[in-house]
Amino acid sequence: MRRLVLLTCLLALAPATAHAATVTLAQIGAFTAPVYVTAPPGDVDRLFVVQQGGTIVVVNNGLATTFADLTDRVLSGGERGLLSMAFAPDYATSGLFYVYYTAKSPTGQITIEEHRVDPASPGRADPSYARVLATIPHDQQGNHNGGQLQFGPDGLLYAGTGDGGSGGDPAGNGQNLGSSDPPVVNAVNHNALLGKLLRLDPRAGTGPSIFAYGLRNPWRFSFDRLTGDLVVADVGQSAYEEVDFAPAPGLGAGANYGWNRFEGAHTYPGGAPAGDGAGTVLPVVEHSHADGWCSITGGYVVRDAALPELAGTYVYSDYCKGRIYGARLPGGPDLDLGLPAVSHPSSFGEDACGRVYVASIDGPVYRLTTTGECVLPAGSPLPATTGADQRAPAVTLRVAARQRALRTGFVAVRVACDEPCAVRASGRVLVARARAAATRPPALRTRPAKASLAPGATRTLRLRLSRATRAQIVRALRRPGRRATVRVTITATDAARNARTDVRRVRIVRR
């Protein structure tokens, strides 16, 4: 019976089925070496296209204008350039966004900077403001710069860095964790920041820490906007391309994805099957260069409500092949989606509606579409209705980082808004080893809590744990080295349907 269900799911993805005829690629414009596509949270009207040479273009109702020009500081060419951007979760009020580029001076230096919108002109960036969050020397080789920035469900900024270039990671940067525990790299140990997935808190003003390691060139990674799962597409050396998976960002912390001991699910440089990987998190998808693959281009798990045919499907491509593939992660086989090939796909992107885009380094940017309508996924920031009110409510949260939920039976969240609002809170329970590379969490959730608040009024919402859930957590915590956390999602919506969403993590403690 399980095989029949799996077969039915696979047939729903096969090119010969109806969706291959209805899902299309619609070109939304042509640009100069586009390498990333994104949009601010809740902004359903604009799309931002990052161009490798150092500019960011904003597209609004088909009209493209320059939003930011960083060409004076960006070194572009080959794998270098302005490589991606990310908007702060509170961009609507803070106006902050972040860029990742290789610098002209010092030559090739990986730079992560904070920028902001021009207060006098919301259609462009403020040319007078830039704050450096992190720099990593990268002057020895021009390749393997990484380049992705993405805010995770925890509200922190993630960045993917390459191993420093050349072939085979001769310096061993992918496996270099520095000497600190947890691994936080200082100015004299910059090589330990290469070949990694880094995590930063722009609000704290501290340097990056290593979230995961053993990566060769994680050119593109993404978070599933529904589940929080992390998907990393890591470019291979000479034999295999791979997709790595962690079933929620907290459970991927500390993961070793194997490079340069493994390439894909094979030993490096020998090429033998990796077996159990000896403590390494092996890829969930692997493709061979013998089949025409050369450089994987990672994408997104589709959550576009207008594309139910692809719901839950991770879409991605390859720079050489140009075909668009889909896979149900983890473990589902990948399939050619039957869409037209894209010449040299450089990146995928996702807008505020969850619509997915694919960019060609040759200029065109396409959207995966059927109707072209914007349908916001449940729980996403909602667009403002017509009228003057286009501002989401300002929300004040007080959430204790450690709570005795096993004793009280609930996780408590104190919420206040600056205007009348409806608040909904929900929680997902995650149980894993404190330093686990990848552990599947039990399917446990708290009971959601709702409230209607007057301006300035504070309400305590209690996300209750059922007896069965508490019992499962207790059993799990009896195992050595286990910890339990609750990922709490809070959404506040005002009368004009403007919404703000925040995510907090609470550790469940026994005493």
Side-chain angles (χ1 to χ4, degrees):
M1 182 64 182
R2 293 179 61 188
R3 291 185 179 180
L4 178 59
V5 172
L6 176 59
L7 179 60
T8 302
C9 294
L10 294 181
L11 288 175
L13 289 174
T17 59
H19 89 77
T22 57
V23 179
T24 63
L25 291 180
Q27 183 171 332
I28 60 99
F31 305 87
T32 303
V35 291
Y36 193 55
V37 182
T38 188
D43 189 335
V44 302
D45 296 319
R46 298 186 297 170
L47 189 71
F48 290 73
V49 180
V50 178
Q51 300 183 134
Q52 186 179 8
T55 56
I56 299 171
V57 174
V58 57
V59 181
N60 191 352
N61 292 324
L63 178 63
T65 57
T66 299
F67 175 74
D69 186 344
L70 307 178
T71 52
D72 61 335
R73 67 192 72 190
V74 171
L75 177 63
S76 178
E79 295 183 18
R80 287 170 165 165
L82 178 60
L83 303 180
S84 71
M85 71 180 301
F87 290 95
D90 63 349
Y91 176 78
T93 54
S94 71
L96 296 176
F97 65 96
Y98 302 87
V99 295
Y100 185 121
Y101 66 87
T102 53
K104 287 182 177 178
S105 180
T107 301
Q109 175 179 267
I110 293 172
T111 305
I112 301 172
E113 276 181 351
E114 179 182 84
H115 290 255
R116 69 186 179 196
V117 71
D118 190 335
S121 178
R124 68 184 184 96
D126 184 349
S128 67
Y129 176 81
R131 180 171 74 99
V132 175
L133 299 185
T135 60
I136 308 170
H138 201 297
D139 59 341
Q140 299 301 306
Q141 305 288 340
N143 61 339
H144 300 186
N145 300 284
Q148 179 75 47
L149 286 180
Q150 195 93 51
F151 274 93
D154 53 7
L156 299 179
L157 183 62
Y158 290 74
T161 64
D163 65 9
S166 188
D169 191 12
N173 292 330
Q175 294 295 319
N176 179 7
L177 288 177
S179 59
S180 56
D181 186 19
V184 178
V185 182
N186 58 36
V188 299
N189 197 13
H190 274 109
N191 282 355
L193 289 173
L194 295 172
K196 307 297 189 299
L197 189 61
L198 306 176
R199 184 166 61 177
L200 308 88
D201 186 348
R203 301 162 297 185
T206 57
S209 63
I210 296 173
F211 182 79
Y213 64 106
L215 295 164
R216 181 178 178 274
N217 193 30
W219 166 242
R220 290 295 176 249
F221 66 89
S222 62
F223 294 98
D224 184 332
R225 63 166 50 202
L226 179 63
T227 66
D229 295 341
L230 168 66
V231 189
V232 182
D234 195 17
V235 178
Q237 177 64 47
S238 57
Y240 299 100
E241 303 297 310
E242 69 180 75
V243 175
D244 301 308
F245 178 83
L251 298 181
N256 179 6
Y257 293 109
W259 178 252
N260 65 353
R261 299 172 184 170
F262 300 95
E263 181 185 8
H266 291 76
T267 60
Y268 182 84
D276 63 4
T280 298
V281 180
L282 295 177
V284 294
V285 174
E286 179 189 78
H287 289 286
S288 171
H289 286 205
D291 296 327
W293 292 72
C294 75
S295 179
I296 195 166
T297 302
Y300 288 81
V301 176
V302 178
R303 299 298 180 188
D304 182 354
L307 293 180
E309 305 92 331
L310 297 180
T313 301
Y314 177 70
V315 295
Y316 64 105
S317 188
D318 179 83
Y319 189 81
C320 290
K321 292 180 74 71
R323 306 296 301 182
I324 297 178
Y325 295 84
R328 296 297 182 104
L329 303 179
D334 64 292
L335 297 167
D336 187 329
L337 296 183
L339 295 168
V342 174
S343 174
H344 302 119
S346 60
S347 184
F348 285 78
E350 190 179 44
D351 67 15
C353 304
R355 296 180 295 192
V356 175
Y357 298 77
V358 57
S360 163
I361 197 68
D362 299 327
V365 171
Y366 306 92
R367 183 175 69 234
L368 276 68
T369 183
T370 51
T371 64
E373 297 176 356
C374 174
V375 182
L376 281 169
S380 297
L382 298 174
T385 57
T386 56
D389 185 5
Q390 299 186 18
R391 172 185 169 276
V395 180
T396 301
L397 295 175
R398 295 180 181 177
V399 185
R402 299 163 65 93
Q403 299 191 29
R404 299 181 177 88
L406 294 177
R407 188 179 70 182
T408 63
F410 59 81
V411 172
V413 180
R414 289 177 63 82
V415 186
C417 297
D418 69 339
E419 61 176 308
C421 68
V423 180
R424 185 182 189 277
S426 61
R428 180 184 180 190
V429 182
L430 308 173
V431 181
R433 296 192 183 108
R435 296 181 178 274
T439 305
R440 185 181 299 277
L444 305 178
R445 295 186 180 274
T446 66
R447 294 171 183 166
K450 300 179 181 179
S452 296
L453 302 182
T458 300
R459 177 73 63 87
T460 298
L461 302 181
R462 291 181 171 86
L463 284 70
R464 298 191 178 278
L465 302 171
S466 68
R467 289 181 179 272
T469 296
R470 291 159 67 185
Q472 289 189 54
I473 295 172
V474 169
R475 287 195 296 271
L477 293 181
R478 286 174 183 161
R479 301 174 64 182
R482 297 281 172 167
R483 67 168 55 179
T485 59
V486 179
R487 180 175 176 268
V488 181
T489 302
I490 308 101
T491 300
T493 307
D494 65 13
R497 299 184 72 239
N498 303 303
R500 187 179 307 281
T501 298
D502 202 345
V503 177
R504 300 295 176 90
R505 286 186 178 272
V506 175
R507 182 175 175 182
I508 298 175
V509 295
R510 290 177 177 271
R511 299 176 181 177

